[in-house]
Amino acid sequence: MLALLRAGDENAFRGLVGRYDRAMRRLALSFVASASVADEVVQETWLAVIQGLDGFEGRSSLKTWMFQILVNRARSRGAREQRTTPMSSLMALDASVEEGPTVDPDRFLPAGHPVAGYWALTPNRFFELPEERLLAEETSRVVAEAIARLPSRQQQVIGLRDVDGWEAEEVCASLGISAANQRVLLHRARAAVRAELEEYFAAEVVNA
Amino acid sequence: MSLGDLPCVDFVELATEYLEGALSVEQRLVMERHLAFCAPCVDYMEQMRATIAATGTLREEDVPEPVVEPLMAAFRALTNGRS
């Protein structure tokens, strides 16, 4: 692939854009305030990729290298935006959902109970619903809305891992985060989506 | 073996580490022992797996098609004359 790109193979480059442009724009949008700024960042990234092809040393995969360029640019654009906009209420929200339990503590038996910490209200079995219900368009909307409400760092990780199907190592390298941090963000994101789905399907399933 | 080694409230916070294979052998055994005795936590793990599957089917309908032609022009200009 790299050799084709360096040789100026247009189909190879077209394929690359087709494959990654949307993921790039979604990721960029989690760093900056508007779709138009995200588009600009992605455009700049593609130009930087074209210009950098000869200098790319192949120490990471082409994909990881491209997304590192994107993340660096999007991050500095986002930081510049934040210096010019007042601290939003969104920031306060971020802090509160990045720590503490990921399952409502009221779901478990309280301290002092002989089996404290065990389920009081057990998880429902929404996963037993037929696949066409679990993977229906309406379910997708519930998932998409749940992800949209997550803090940006969690959105980035669940987007790359579970929407785009990336490996953990690729996500760590592209976002510049540790393996442990990646897992924490992924866990919080998945747990939040899980809670939304459980509630969404609650009327359709019998609790065990 | 009692379930007291790992209450469910702690089990659920290790679910991703477990699925990611990030736990030590000892921690993994504690998780698996818990699962062998605790049907609700088995269901919790199934919920997590169903969540991952549902997230994996998201389409990017809201992201417009890439505008490829200006990029192709830039690509042509920068790699001009090589092929």
Side-chain angles (χ1 to χ4, degrees), chain A residues 107-146:
Chain A
R107 299 284 298 266
F108 301 99
L109 296 165
H113 192 282
V115 281
Y118 290 82
W119 292 98
L121 180 58
T122 56
N124 71 30
R125 312 192 75 175
F126 76 76
F127 48 85
E128 288 182 339
L129 288 166
E131 192 156 282
E132 56 266 30
R133 182 77 191 91
L134 284 174
L135 306 180
E137 216 167 292
E138 206 188 318
T139 309
S140 292
R141 196 162 56 242
V142 172
V143 173
E145 285 169 6

mmCIF file of all heavy atoms in Angstrom, chain A residues 107-146:
data_model
loop_
_atom_site.group_PDB
_atom_site.id
_atom_site.type_symbol
_atom_site.label_atom_id
_atom_site.label_comp_id
_atom_site.label_asym_id
_atom_site.label_seq_id
_atom_site.Cartn_x
_atom_site.Cartn_y
_atom_site.Cartn_z
ATOM 1 N N ARG A 107 -28.427 -0.634 42.689
ATOM 2 C CA ARG A 107 -28.723 -1.956 42.139
ATOM 3 C C ARG A 107 -28.177 -3.068 43.038
ATOM 4 O O ARG A 107 -28.473 -4.240 42.837
ATOM 5 C CB ARG A 107 -28.102 -2.109 40.740
ATOM 6 C CG ARG A 107 -28.608 -1.117 39.702
ATOM 7 C CD ARG A 107 -29.999 -1.488 39.224
ATOM 8 N NE ARG A 107 -30.047 -2.781 38.575
ATOM 9 C CZ ARG A 107 -29.936 -2.977 37.261
ATOM 10 N NH1 ARG A 107 -29.772 -1.958 36.466
ATOM 11 N NH2 ARG A 107 -30.017 -4.198 36.749
ATOM 12 N N PHE A 108 -27.299 -2.699 44.000
ATOM 13 C CA PHE A 108 -26.645 -3.703 44.848
ATOM 14 C C PHE A 108 -27.129 -3.597 46.294
ATOM 15 O O PHE A 108 -27.568 -2.533 46.734
ATOM 16 C CB PHE A 108 -25.126 -3.517 44.783
ATOM 17 C CG PHE A 108 -24.581 -3.647 43.387
ATOM 18 C CD1 PHE A 108 -24.298 -2.518 42.629
ATOM 19 C CD2 PHE A 108 -24.386 -4.900 42.802
ATOM 20 C CE1 PHE A 108 -23.819 -2.631 41.321
ATOM 21 C CE2 PHE A 108 -23.906 -5.011 41.503
ATOM 22 C CZ PHE A 108 -23.624 -3.882 40.764
ATOM 23 N N LEU A 109 -27.025 -4.708 47.026
ATOM 24 C CA LEU A 109 -27.440 -4.720 48.431
ATOM 25 C C LEU A 109 -26.485 -3.850 49.248
ATOM 26 O O LEU A 109 -25.278 -3.879 49.028
ATOM 27 C CB LEU A 109 -27.456 -6.161 48.953
ATOM 28 C CG LEU A 109 -28.499 -7.052 48.250
ATOM 29 C CD1 LEU A 109 -28.227 -8.526 48.525
ATOM 30 C CD2 LEU A 109 -29.917 -6.658 48.690
ATOM 31 N N PRO A 110 -27.053 -3.064 50.178
ATOM 32 C CA PRO A 110 -26.235 -2.079 50.897
ATOM 33 C C PRO A 110 -25.347 -2.693 51.971
ATOM 34 O O PRO A 110 -25.541 -3.850 52.367
ATOM 35 C CB PRO A 110 -27.287 -1.167 51.532
ATOM 36 C CG PRO A 110 -28.485 -2.037 51.701
ATOM 37 C CD PRO A 110 -28.469 -3.030 50.571
ATOM 38 N N ALA A 111 -24.370 -1.929 52.409
ATOM 39 C CA ALA A 111 -23.489 -2.337 53.510
ATOM 40 C C ALA A 111 -24.340 -2.716 54.710
ATOM 41 O O ALA A 111 -25.388 -2.113 54.953
ATOM 42 C CB ALA A 111 -22.544 -1.189 53.866
ATOM 43 N N GLY A 112 -23.912 -3.724 55.456
ATOM 44 C CA GLY A 112 -24.685 -4.172 56.615
ATOM 45 C C GLY A 112 -25.570 -5.361 56.281
ATOM 46 O O GLY A 112 -25.913 -6.161 57.145
ATOM 47 N N HIS A 113 -25.916 -5.495 55.016
ATOM 48 C CA HIS A 113 -26.678 -6.660 54.570
ATOM 49 C C HIS A 113 -25.747 -7.873 54.580
ATOM 50 O O HIS A 113 -24.553 -7.731 54.290
ATOM 51 C CB HIS A 113 -27.199 -6.400 53.153
ATOM 52 C CG HIS A 113 -28.230 -7.403 52.704
ATOM 53 N ND1 HIS A 113 -27.893 -8.649 52.269
ATOM 54 C CD2 HIS A 113 -29.580 -7.329 52.644
ATOM 55 C CE1 HIS A 113 -28.999 -9.311 51.953
ATOM 56 N NE2 HIS A 113 -30.036 -8.526 52.171
ATOM 57 N N PRO A 114 -26.274 -9.066 54.940
ATOM 58 C CA PRO A 114 -25.402 -10.255 54.991
ATOM 59 C C PRO A 114 -24.645 -10.512 53.682
ATOM 60 O O PRO A 114 -23.518 -11.006 53.716
ATOM 61 C CB PRO A 114 -26.377 -11.401 55.279
ATOM 62 C CG PRO A 114 -27.571 -10.765 55.892
ATOM 63 C CD PRO A 114 -27.627 -9.338 55.404
ATOM 64 N N VAL A 115 -25.252 -10.205 52.558
ATOM 65 C CA VAL A 115 -24.517 -10.334 51.293
ATOM 66 C C VAL A 115 -24.418 -8.965 50.604
ATOM 67 O O VAL A 115 -24.789 -8.808 49.439
ATOM 68 C CB VAL A 115 -25.116 -11.413 50.350
ATOM 69 C CG1 VAL A 115 -24.706 -12.802 50.776
ATOM 70 C CG2 VAL A 115 -26.634 -11.301 50.272
ATOM 71 N N ALA A 116 -23.880 -8.019 51.351
ATOM 72 C CA ALA A 116 -23.692 -6.660 50.824
ATOM 73 C C ALA A 116 -22.865 -6.701 49.545
ATOM 74 O O ALA A 116 -21.916 -7.486 49.444
ATOM 75 C CB ALA A 116 -22.995 -5.787 51.860
ATOM 76 N N GLY A 117 -23.235 -5.874 48.584
ATOM 77 C CA GLY A 117 -22.466 -5.797 47.342
ATOM 78 C C GLY A 117 -22.953 -6.758 46.274
ATOM 79 O O GLY A 117 -22.440 -6.757 45.161
ATOM 80 N N TYR A 118 -23.949 -7.594 46.621
ATOM 81 C CA TYR A 118 -24.536 -8.476 45.613
ATOM 82 C C TYR A 118 -25.753 -7.814 45.007
ATOM 83 O O TYR A 118 -26.295 -6.871 45.554
ATOM 84 C CB TYR A 118 -24.846 -9.860 46.217
ATOM 85 C CG TYR A 118 -23.543 -10.545 46.493
ATOM 86 C CD1 TYR A 118 -22.837 -10.262 47.656
ATOM 87 C CD2 TYR A 118 -22.957 -11.353 45.533
ATOM 88 C CE1 TYR A 118 -21.585 -10.797 47.873
ATOM 89 C CE2 TYR A 118 -21.702 -11.895 45.743
ATOM 90 C CZ TYR A 118 -21.024 -11.611 46.911
ATOM 91 O OH TYR A 118 -19.781 -12.123 47.099
ATOM 92 N N TRP A 119 -26.141 -8.311 43.844
ATOM 93 C CA TRP A 119 -27.242 -7.684 43.125
ATOM 94 C C TRP A 119 -28.510 -7.644 43.971
ATOM 95 O O TRP A 119 -28.922 -8.666 44.523
ATOM 96 C CB TRP A 119 -27.560 -8.444 41.841
ATOM 97 C CG TRP A 119 -26.495 -8.352 40.792
ATOM 98 C CD1 TRP A 119 -25.533 -9.275 40.533
ATOM 99 C CD2 TRP A 119 -26.297 -7.288 39.859
ATOM 100 N NE1 TRP A 119 -24.727 -8.849 39.499
ATOM 101 C CE2 TRP A 119 -25.176 -7.637 39.059
ATOM 102 C CE3 TRP A 119 -26.948 -6.077 39.615
ATOM 103 C CZ2 TRP A 119 -24.698 -6.818 38.030
ATOM 104 C CZ3 TRP A 119 -26.468 -5.263 38.592
ATOM 105 C CH2 TRP A 119 -25.358 -5.634 37.817
ATOM 106 N N ALA A 120 -29.136 -6.471 44.062
ATOM 107 C CA ALA A 120 -30.465 -6.354 44.638
ATOM 108 C C ALA A 120 -31.466 -6.375 43.490
ATOM 109 O O ALA A 120 -32.454 -7.096 43.515
ATOM 110 C CB ALA A 120 -30.578 -5.056 45.426
ATOM 111 N N LEU A 121 -31.184 -5.582 42.463
ATOM 112 C CA LEU A 121 -31.993 -5.570 41.248
ATOM 113 C C LEU A 121 -31.113 -6.116 40.129
ATOM 114 O O LEU A 121 -30.195 -5.455 39.647
ATOM 115 C CB LEU A 121 -32.449 -4.131 40.945
ATOM 116 C CG LEU A 121 -33.301 -3.923 39.701
ATOM 117 C CD1 LEU A 121 -34.573 -4.767 39.757
ATOM 118 C CD2 LEU A 121 -33.661 -2.446 39.546
ATOM 119 N N THR A 122 -31.378 -7.370 39.755
ATOM 120 C CA THR A 122 -30.473 -8.074 38.834
ATOM 121 C C THR A 122 -30.585 -7.531 37.410
ATOM 122 O O THR A 122 -31.601 -6.938 37.040
ATOM 123 C CB THR A 122 -30.785 -9.583 38.826
ATOM 124 O OG1 THR A 122 -32.159 -9.760 38.480
ATOM 125 C CG2 THR A 122 -30.534 -10.203 40.194
ATOM 126 N N PRO A 123 -29.547 -7.731 36.607
ATOM 127 C CA PRO A 123 -29.592 -7.266 35.208
ATOM 128 C C PRO A 123 -30.707 -7.979 34.449
ATOM 129 O O PRO A 123 -30.923 -9.171 34.667
ATOM 130 C CB PRO A 123 -28.223 -7.690 34.651
ATOM 131 C CG PRO A 123 -27.362 -7.968 35.831
ATOM 132 C CD PRO A 123 -28.276 -8.404 36.929
ATOM 133 N N ASN A 124 -31.412 -7.258 33.602
ATOM 134 C CA ASN A 124 -32.428 -7.937 32.800
ATOM 135 C C ASN A 124 -31.744 -8.689 31.652
ATOM 136 O O ASN A 124 -30.545 -8.563 31.431
ATOM 137 C CB ASN A 124 -33.526 -6.960 32.325
ATOM 138 C CG ASN A 124 -33.050 -5.991 31.251
ATOM 139 O OD1 ASN A 124 -32.165 -6.306 30.458
ATOM 140 N ND2 ASN A 124 -33.635 -4.806 31.223
ATOM 141 N N ARG A 125 -32.543 -9.506 30.942
ATOM 142 C CA ARG A 125 -31.940 -10.367 29.929
ATOM 143 C C ARG A 125 -32.270 -9.864 28.528
ATOM 144 O O ARG A 125 -32.714 -10.616 27.669
ATOM 145 C CB ARG A 125 -32.406 -11.805 30.153
ATOM 146 C CG ARG A 125 -32.273 -12.211 31.631
ATOM 147 C CD ARG A 125 -32.451 -13.685 31.827
ATOM 148 N NE ARG A 125 -31.262 -14.387 31.377
ATOM 149 C CZ ARG A 125 -31.075 -15.696 31.515
ATOM 150 N NH1 ARG A 125 -32.010 -16.437 32.069
ATOM 151 N NH2 ARG A 125 -29.976 -16.249 31.087
ATOM 152 N N PHE A 126 -32.008 -8.578 28.300
ATOM 153 C CA PHE A 126 -32.347 -8.002 26.989
ATOM 154 C C PHE A 126 -31.582 -8.679 25.852
ATOM 155 O O PHE A 126 -32.017 -8.691 24.711
ATOM 156 C CB PHE A 126 -32.150 -6.478 26.985
ATOM 157 C CG PHE A 126 -30.729 -5.991 26.899
ATOM 158 C CD1 PHE A 126 -30.039 -6.021 25.693
ATOM 159 C CD2 PHE A 126 -30.080 -5.477 28.016
ATOM 160 C CE1 PHE A 126 -28.732 -5.556 25.607
ATOM 161 C CE2 PHE A 126 -28.772 -5.010 27.933
ATOM 162 C CZ PHE A 126 -28.104 -5.062 26.733
ATOM 163 N N PHE A 127 -30.451 -9.292 26.207
ATOM 164 C CA PHE A 127 -29.629 -9.951 25.177
ATOM 165 C C PHE A 127 -30.322 -11.175 24.587
ATOM 166 O O PHE A 127 -29.894 -11.711 23.582
ATOM 167 C CB PHE A 127 -28.271 -10.351 25.770
ATOM 168 C CG PHE A 127 -28.385 -11.071 27.088
ATOM 169 C CD1 PHE A 127 -28.604 -12.432 27.128
ATOM 170 C CD2 PHE A 127 -28.299 -10.355 28.284
ATOM 171 C CE1 PHE A 127 -28.736 -13.104 28.341
ATOM 172 C CE2 PHE A 127 -28.428 -11.018 29.506
ATOM 173 C CZ PHE A 127 -28.650 -12.386 29.537
ATOM 174 N N GLU A 128 -31.423 -11.619 25.225
ATOM 175 C CA GLU A 128 -32.159 -12.769 24.690
ATOM 176 C C GLU A 128 -33.191 -12.370 23.641
ATOM 177 O O GLU A 128 -33.817 -13.224 23.026
ATOM 178 C CB GLU A 128 -32.857 -13.528 25.831
ATOM 179 C CG GLU A 128 -31.861 -14.292 26.694
ATOM 180 C CD GLU A 128 -32.515 -15.090 27.800
ATOM 181 O OE1 GLU A 128 -33.671 -14.760 28.169
ATOM 182 O OE2 GLU A 128 -31.870 -16.029 28.309
ATOM 183 N N LEU A 129 -33.369 -11.078 23.462
ATOM 184 C CA LEU A 129 -34.299 -10.614 22.426
ATOM 185 C C LEU A 129 -33.780 -11.057 21.054
ATOM 186 O O LEU A 129 -32.574 -11.245 20.875
ATOM 187 C CB LEU A 129 -34.407 -9.085 22.460
ATOM 188 C CG LEU A 129 -35.182 -8.497 23.646
ATOM 189 C CD1 LEU A 129 -34.919 -6.994 23.757
ATOM 190 C CD2 LEU A 129 -36.670 -8.768 23.518
ATOM 191 N N PRO A 130 -34.677 -11.213 20.097
ATOM 192 C CA PRO A 130 -34.219 -11.630 18.761
ATOM 193 C C PRO A 130 -33.227 -10.623 18.174
ATOM 194 O O PRO A 130 -33.306 -9.426 18.459
ATOM 195 C CB PRO A 130 -35.507 -11.681 17.932
ATOM 196 C CG PRO A 130 -36.598 -11.173 18.787
ATOM 197 C CD PRO A 130 -36.127 -11.052 20.184
ATOM 198 N N GLU A 131 -32.320 -11.156 17.388
ATOM 199 C CA GLU A 131 -31.257 -10.316 16.828
ATOM 200 C C GLU A 131 -31.806 -9.123 16.049
ATOM 201 O O GLU A 131 -31.266 -8.015 16.123
ATOM 202 C CB GLU A 131 -30.356 -11.170 15.924
ATOM 203 C CG GLU A 131 -29.089 -10.467 15.535
ATOM 204 C CD GLU A 131 -27.983 -11.451 15.176
ATOM 205 O OE1 GLU A 131 -27.362 -12.040 16.087
ATOM 206 O OE2 GLU A 131 -27.766 -11.640 13.966
ATOM 207 N N GLU A 132 -32.921 -9.347 15.326
ATOM 208 C CA GLU A 132 -33.446 -8.231 14.515
ATOM 209 C C GLU A 132 -33.922 -7.083 15.408
ATOM 210 O O GLU A 132 -33.940 -5.935 14.988
ATOM 211 C CB GLU A 132 -34.552 -8.684 13.554
ATOM 212 C CG GLU A 132 -35.726 -9.377 14.189
ATOM 213 C CD GLU A 132 -35.577 -10.900 14.186
ATOM 214 O OE1 GLU A 132 -34.419 -11.395 14.244
ATOM 215 O OE2 GLU A 132 -36.606 -11.593 14.135
ATOM 216 N N ARG A 133 -34.249 -7.405 16.652
ATOM 217 C CA ARG A 133 -34.646 -6.353 17.596
ATOM 218 C C ARG A 133 -33.391 -5.672 18.182
ATOM 219 O O ARG A 133 -33.317 -4.458 18.296
ATOM 220 C CB ARG A 133 -35.482 -6.979 18.728
ATOM 221 C CG ARG A 133 -35.983 -5.982 19.738
ATOM 222 C CD ARG A 133 -37.183 -5.202 19.208
ATOM 223 N NE ARG A 133 -37.488 -4.086 20.086
ATOM 224 C CZ ARG A 133 -36.987 -2.860 19.943
ATOM 225 N NH1 ARG A 133 -36.160 -2.611 18.946
ATOM 226 N NH2 ARG A 133 -37.305 -1.898 20.774
ATOM 227 N N LEU A 134 -32.399 -6.511 18.540
ATOM 228 C CA LEU A 134 -31.166 -5.987 19.149
ATOM 229 C C LEU A 134 -30.384 -5.114 18.175
ATOM 230 O O LEU A 134 -29.709 -4.181 18.583
ATOM 231 C CB LEU A 134 -30.272 -7.147 19.601
ATOM 232 C CG LEU A 134 -30.688 -7.861 20.883
ATOM 233 C CD1 LEU A 134 -29.802 -9.073 21.123
ATOM 234 C CD2 LEU A 134 -30.603 -6.911 22.077
ATOM 235 N N LEU A 135 -30.460 -5.460 16.898
ATOM 236 C CA LEU A 135 -29.655 -4.739 15.918
ATOM 237 C C LEU A 135 -30.513 -3.848 15.018
ATOM 238 O O LEU A 135 -30.092 -3.414 13.958
ATOM 239 C CB LEU A 135 -28.834 -5.732 15.079
ATOM 240 C CG LEU A 135 -27.962 -6.713 15.887
ATOM 241 C CD1 LEU A 135 -27.197 -7.654 14.966
ATOM 242 C CD2 LEU A 135 -26.991 -5.978 16.812
ATOM 243 N N ALA A 136 -31.758 -3.590 15.483
ATOM 244 C CA ALA A 136 -32.667 -2.743 14.692
ATOM 245 C C ALA A 136 -32.155 -1.313 14.612
ATOM 246 O O ALA A 136 -31.335 -0.889 15.425
ATOM 247 C CB ALA A 136 -34.058 -2.767 15.314
ATOM 248 N N GLU A 137 -32.668 -0.591 13.642
ATOM 249 C CA GLU A 137 -32.246 0.802 13.447
ATOM 250 C C GLU A 137 -32.545 1.643 14.686
ATOM 251 O O GLU A 137 -31.750 2.508 15.062
ATOM 252 C CB GLU A 137 -32.995 1.378 12.244
ATOM 253 C CG GLU A 137 -32.150 2.326 11.423
ATOM 254 C CD GLU A 137 -32.806 2.617 10.082
ATOM 255 O OE1 GLU A 137 -32.891 1.696 9.244
ATOM 256 O OE2 GLU A 137 -33.249 3.753 9.920
ATOM 257 N N GLU A 138 -33.691 1.364 15.323
ATOM 258 C CA GLU A 138 -34.052 2.146 16.504
ATOM 259 C C GLU A 138 -33.060 1.896 17.644
ATOM 260 O O GLU A 138 -32.728 2.800 18.403
ATOM 261 C CB GLU A 138 -35.479 1.782 16.933
ATOM 262 C CG GLU A 138 -36.168 2.891 17.695
ATOM 263 C CD GLU A 138 -37.501 2.440 18.275
ATOM 264 O OE1 GLU A 138 -38.246 1.725 17.570
ATOM 265 O OE2 GLU A 138 -37.779 2.797 19.436
ATOM 266 N N THR A 139 -32.594 0.652 17.753
ATOM 267 C CA THR A 139 -31.582 0.339 18.767
ATOM 268 C C THR A 139 -30.296 1.110 18.474
ATOM 269 O O THR A 139 -29.667 1.658 19.382
ATOM 270 C CB THR A 139 -31.289 -1.174 18.776
ATOM 271 O OG1 THR A 139 -32.526 -1.883 18.871
ATOM 272 C CG2 THR A 139 -30.385 -1.555 19.934
ATOM 273 N N SER A 140 -29.935 1.160 17.200
ATOM 274 C CA SER A 140 -28.748 1.919 16.803
ATOM 275 C C SER A 140 -28.864 3.363 17.246
ATOM 276 O O SER A 140 -27.883 3.978 17.666
ATOM 277 C CB SER A 140 -28.562 1.886 15.281
ATOM 278 O OG SER A 140 -28.222 0.591 14.879
ATOM 279 N N ARG A 141 -30.073 3.910 17.142
ATOM 280 C CA ARG A 141 -30.260 5.312 17.521
ATOM 281 C C ARG A 141 -30.035 5.489 19.028
ATOM 282 O O ARG A 141 -29.411 6.449 19.465
ATOM 283 C CB ARG A 141 -31.646 5.803 17.113
ATOM 284 C CG ARG A 141 -31.745 7.315 17.135
ATOM 285 C CD ARG A 141 -32.926 7.845 16.350
ATOM 286 N NE ARG A 141 -34.177 7.280 16.816
ATOM 287 C CZ ARG A 141 -34.984 6.533 16.071
ATOM 288 N NH1 ARG A 141 -34.678 6.274 14.829
ATOM 289 N NH2 ARG A 141 -36.107 6.055 16.572
ATOM 290 N N VAL A 142 -30.541 4.521 19.815
ATOM 291 C CA VAL A 142 -30.331 4.585 21.267
ATOM 292 C C VAL A 142 -28.833 4.542 21.581
ATOM 293 O O VAL A 142 -28.331 5.325 22.402
ATOM 294 C CB VAL A 142 -31.064 3.410 21.969
ATOM 295 C CG1 VAL A 142 -30.703 3.339 23.446
ATOM 296 C CG2 VAL A 142 -32.572 3.549 21.793
ATOM 297 N N VAL A 143 -28.121 3.647 20.896
ATOM 298 C CA VAL A 143 -26.666 3.532 21.113
ATOM 299 C C VAL A 143 -25.966 4.823 20.697
ATOM 300 O O VAL A 143 -25.137 5.361 21.446
ATOM 301 C CB VAL A 143 -26.089 2.326 20.330
ATOM 302 C CG1 VAL A 143 -24.570 2.300 20.413
ATOM 303 C CG2 VAL A 143 -26.671 1.011 20.858
ATOM 304 N N ALA A 144 -26.315 5.337 19.528
ATOM 305 C CA ALA A 144 -25.664 6.555 19.023
ATOM 306 C C ALA A 144 -25.903 7.726 19.974
ATOM 307 O O ALA A 144 -24.991 8.516 20.240
ATOM 308 C CB ALA A 144 -26.179 6.886 17.625
ATOM 309 N N GLU A 145 -27.113 7.830 20.498
ATOM 310 C CA GLU A 145 -27.418 8.931 21.417
ATOM 311 C C GLU A 145 -26.677 8.774 22.731
ATOM 312 O O GLU A 145 -26.207 9.752 23.314
ATOM 313 C CB GLU A 145 -28.936 9.025 21.649
ATOM 314 C CG GLU A 145 -29.661 9.630 20.455
ATOM 315 C CD GLU A 145 -31.181 9.492 20.531
ATOM 316 O OE1 GLU A 145 -31.703 9.027 21.575
ATOM 317 O OE2 GLU A 145 -31.836 9.835 19.527
ATOM 318 N N ALA A 146 -26.570 7.526 23.189
ATOM 319 C CA ALA A 146 -25.821 7.284 24.435
ATOM 320 C C ALA A 146 -24.355 7.673 24.245
ATOM 321 O O ALA A 146 -23.749 8.302 25.124
ATOM 322 C CB ALA A 146 -25.940 5.811 24.836
#
